[in-house]
Amino acid sequence: MADRLIADIHTHSRFAGACSESLTIKNMNSTALTKGIDVIGTGDFTHPKWLAEIKEELEGDSGIYSLKDGKSASFVFSTEVCTIFTHGSGLKKIHHCIIASDVSAAESINDSISKMGNLSSDGRPILSTSPAEMVEAVMGADRKAIIFPAHAWTPWYGVFGTYGFNSIKEAYGDQAKHIKAIETGLSSNPEMNWRVSKLDGYALFSGSDAHSLPKLGREVIVMNREGSLTYDKFASQLLGRRFAMTVEFYPEEGKYHYDGHRKCNVSLSPEAARKFNGICPVCRKRLTVGVLHRIEELADRKPGEKPSGAIPFISAVPLQEVISNASGKSPGSEYVKKAYAGLVAAFGTEFGVFLDAGTEEIRRIDPKLGEAMDNMRNGKINITPGYDGVFGVVDLLNKMPAQKKGGQKSISDF
């Protein structure tokens, strides 16, 4: 639709660890166009080789960039960094996203933080500094930069994870004034974050954190189109919490939603994990504490309570997964690829299917696909929650009991 902009601002390049070699600027652009993503982060602008490619491929002004040749999505300069620092008696590792206001600002940020770590080592560089010192350096280099904690609740690298902090102020100290947004991550959604009143007033959203092309756009911000796009307009709408809504993973599908222990196939709700005192009932080692558990620890609202000014969201399953569920075919199969291409051709883009196509229109193409899409849109689905690095399993046609998929053990098995 002409009056909206769909944005995915947390992405990666092939220079980040565990990322696909297919992540080039041209490939990211073509995938964005297919999916209907209007604004996309470059990812990894801190990496010298990737920055050189970005500058070679893109051109623009007002902080918004596009391919020099051909039809293009709009790009903003983005990156993710990891700060490692001593806190109390041990080390903490926290991930953060940075959006730079233009290419010159990105270069200035790189100059400033290069003193803190080797930017050539990885697209997601490790900085030996505290979050506060990192923020101070970035804002000193680009006063219009946007900084927010990445996947805020994940156990090891999230600001609120098991080994993180209990508040933005605690994590960022005197630089917390610059943190106005929080990435909720795949294993939580805004509704879960609404339970923690100290997060009221922050812009809550997520990007895809994609490590491969198909994962782009799995979580996005739906913004209002306000004339010609500029970085200043983008930043104002984002940080001013004036965007229309977000599209989110079902959080149960995220790989850290429940407590658990992957090696022992143990997946437990927070309540069940507490009965075992956080210890794996199989191997007697400590369970990985999931996102839901951490939110319950910090929550001061009941489930379903909604703060004033909360921005709406919808939950979605990636289209290839929907097709796979409906057909019983593998997501990478030729059948799914052909069906996906047909739907995109019929409705313009992947988000055209999700946000614009009527259920009955989809049913006329494929009745089972229409049923799966209707179930997804209305939350009438069965999900085995993810845990300890294992993605959740989605059943859009409700064929099997949730806890019997994947071999995970639940409390009833002990």
Side-chain angles (χ1 to χ4, degrees):
M1 292 176 65
D3 59 346
R4 74 180 178 217
L5 290 169
I6 294 176
D8 179 1
I9 58 175
H10 183 179
T11 64
H12 285 289
S13 73
R14 66 188 185 281
F15 292 100
C19 285
S20 169
E21 286 295 315
S22 298
L23 285 166
T24 66
I25 288 291
K26 283 188 170 68
N27 286 345
M28 291 169 70
N29 179 70
S30 62
T31 301
L33 295 176
T34 298
K35 287 178 174 285
I37 301 168
D38 301 288
V39 182
I40 186 167
T42 62
D44 302 346
F45 73 68
T46 42
H47 195 281
K49 290 183 178 180
W50 183 239
L51 181 59
E53 286 192 29
I54 295 170
K55 292 167 67 175
E56 177 71 22
E57 299 280 2
L58 300 181
E59 62 183 1
D61 55 22
S62 303
I64 302 295
Y65 295 82
S66 58
L67 279 182
K68 292 179 179 178
D69 300 306
K71 187 177 180 182
S72 180
S74 297
F75 285 81
V76 293
F77 276 81
S78 69
T79 196
E80 182 182 0
V81 300
C82 174
T83 54
I84 296 184
F85 54 102
T86 302
H87 182 84
S89 59
L91 286 176
K92 287 189 180 291
K93 304 175 183 181
I94 306 295
H95 285 195
H96 322 260
C97 287
I98 303 169
I99 312 297
S101 60
D102 60 24
V103 61
S104 296
E107 291 173 325
S108 295
I109 290 170
N110 287 354
D111 287 342
S112 184
I113 66 174
S114 63
K115 306 173 183 67
M116 302 171 176
N118 180 5
L119 302 189
S120 300
S121 63
D122 194 277
R124 185 194 306 101
I126 294 173
L127 308 180
S128 298
T129 190
S130 70
E133 290 168 339
M134 180 274 295
V135 172
E136 186 173 24
V138 170
M139 297 306 297
D142 179 11
R143 64 182 180 81
K144 296 198 293 184
I146 301 169
I147 306 172
F148 53 91
H151 41 73
W153 297 94
T154 52
W156 293 284
Y157 300 108
V159 68
F160 301 135
T162 310
Y163 304 104
F165 298 90
N166 291 335
S167 71
I168 293 294
K169 175 65 177 175
E170 185 184 356
Y172 290 92
D174 63 354
Q175 298 300 304
K177 60 189 177 184
H178 295 298
I179 307 301
K180 299 178 181 178
I182 296 170
E183 184 179 49
T184 60
L186 300 180
S187 295
S188 83
N189 61 18
E191 185 175 35
M192 292 168 65
N193 284 258
W194 293 342
R195 295 188 61 195
V196 184
S197 66
K198 67 179 69 174
L199 304 186
D200 293 355
Y202 290 97
L204 302 176
F205 58 82
S206 278
S208 66
D209 193 9
H211 288 204
S212 64
L213 293 168
K215 303 300 184 185
L216 287 171
R218 58 185 173 180
E219 294 202 314
V220 297
I221 309 159
V222 181
M223 310 187 80
N224 303 303
R225 191 181 292 273
E226 300 176 342
S228 60
L229 181 64
T230 67
Y231 177 86
D232 289 342
K233 286 181 181 178
F234 173 82
S236 175
Q237 188 175 153
L238 183 71
L239 300 183
R241 300 168 63 237
R242 294 187 292 104
F243 49 94
M245 68 174 181
T246 59
V247 180
E248 308 273 339
F249 240 42
Y250 277 95
E252 298 90 344
E253 194 178 358
K255 61 183 180 178
Y256 293 107
H257 187 70
Y258 259 15
D259 296 15
H261 196 191
R262 176 174 45 189
K263 290 183 179 179
C264 298
N265 294 324
V266 171
S267 171
L268 299 171
S269 69
E271 180 183 11
R274 283 190 287 269
K275 292 180 180 179
F276 290 109
N277 296 314
I279 301 299
C280 175
V282 174
C283 70
R284 311 307 300 170
K285 294 181 180 178
R286 186 158 294 280
L287 294 166
T288 297
V289 177
V291 169
L292 182 59
H293 195 143
R294 275 294 287 158
I295 284 178
E296 290 187 353
E297 287 180 346
L298 298 185
D300 53 0
R301 291 192 180 111
K302 295 178 181 178
E305 288 191 50
K306 188 175 181 179
S308 62
I311 293 172
F313 72 95
I314 61 172
S315 298
V317 176
L319 183 56
Q320 286 177 314
E321 280 189 51
V322 178
I323 299 168
S324 175
N325 259 253
S327 65
K329 307 288 187 181
S330 165
S333 68
E334 287 303 313
Y335 178 91
V336 170
K337 290 177 183 177
K338 184 176 179 180
Y340 177 89
L343 287 166
V344 168
F347 299 105
T349 64
E350 180 171 334
F351 279 104
V353 179
F354 278 133
L355 302 179
D356 303 326
T359 300
E360 290 308 311
E361 291 180 279
I362 299 172
R363 283 187 193 276
R364 283 195 290 271
I365 294 171
D366 183 327
K368 279 193 175 296
L369 182 61
E371 180 186 355
M373 187 68 72
D374 184 61
N375 288 346
M376 183 203 75
R377 287 172 167 170
N378 292 290
K380 298 184 296 185
I381 66 176
N382 193 354
I383 309 178
T384 301
Y387 68 101
D388 195 19
V390 178
F391 279 107
V393 179
V394 178
D395 175 13
L396 296 177
L397 297 180
N398 299 300
K399 293 179 178 178
M400 296 173 63
Q403 292 297 340
K404 295 305 178 184
K405 298 196 198 88
Q408 295 103 318
K409 297 180 178 68
S410 65
I411 192 170
S412 62
D413 294 308
F414 302 102

